[in-house]
Amino acid sequence: MTSPDQHARGFLRHSPRSDRYENVSIDPLDVAFMLAALIPAGVKVLDVGCGTGSVSASIRMLANVELIGIEPDAERANLARARGLVVYDGYLNESFLLDHRPFQTIIFSDVL
């Protein structure tokens, strides 16, 4: 499976850096804090394209939710698992949703 960054070629001058979200801060204007504020506590969350899990791990902690990630880049998925996240390799499809539902919140952060 290829990295989703390969699909960005032709649209961007340079491939996006895979570590662009590694420095999640405690700033309330940080993406993880803004997303966490929108999610009710205790719900089941799917993070599509969770990357290395830095934002996902922060959301899980800040919103006190059960969070599952799905990531097509194997290296990033392994880094997310090292953060203690449950992460599946691959792309979102109907079969995945049927096997893991229901989700009360689905995040597509920097994916669409």
Side-chain angles (χ1 to χ4, degrees), residues 2-17:
T2 62
S3 168
D5 292 340
Q6 298 303 315
H7 301 292
R9 290 196 322 207
F11 292 105
L12 303 173
R13 220 175 255 175
H14 304 285
S15 289
R17 291 181 40 169

Side-chain angles (χ1 to χ4, degrees), residues 7-108:
H7 301 292
R9 290 196 322 207
F11 292 105
L12 303 173
R13 220 175 255 175
H14 304 285
S15 289
R17 291 181 40 169
S18 62
D19 65 348
R20 61 190 170 276
Y21 293 119
E22 282 305 299
N23 296 316
V24 176
S25 74
I26 58 169
D27 183 343
L29 297 177
D30 185 87
V31 66
F33 280 77
M34 290 191 290
L35 289 171
L38 298 171
I39 301 170
V43 301
K44 186 174 178 184
V45 177
L46 172 62
D47 189 355
V48 178
C50 68
T52 63
S54 59
V55 172
S56 306
S58 294
I59 290 171
R60 182 182 62 180
M61 178 191 68
L62 293 165
N64 191 27
V65 296
E66 175 188 353
L67 190 141
I68 294 174
I70 186 166
E71 172 58 45
D73 185 286
E75 184 178 340
R76 291 180 189 162
N78 285 332
L79 291 169
R81 284 186 202 99
R83 295 179 192 276
L85 296 169
V86 174
V87 178
Y88 294 87
D89 293 300
Y91 291 95
L92 180 64
N93 57 39
E94 185 177 2
S95 173
F96 180 88
L97 289 172
L98 290 173
D99 290 344
H100 300 282
R101 67 180 174 180
F103 294 100
Q104 287 75 37
T105 302
I106 300 178
I107 300 170
F108 290 92

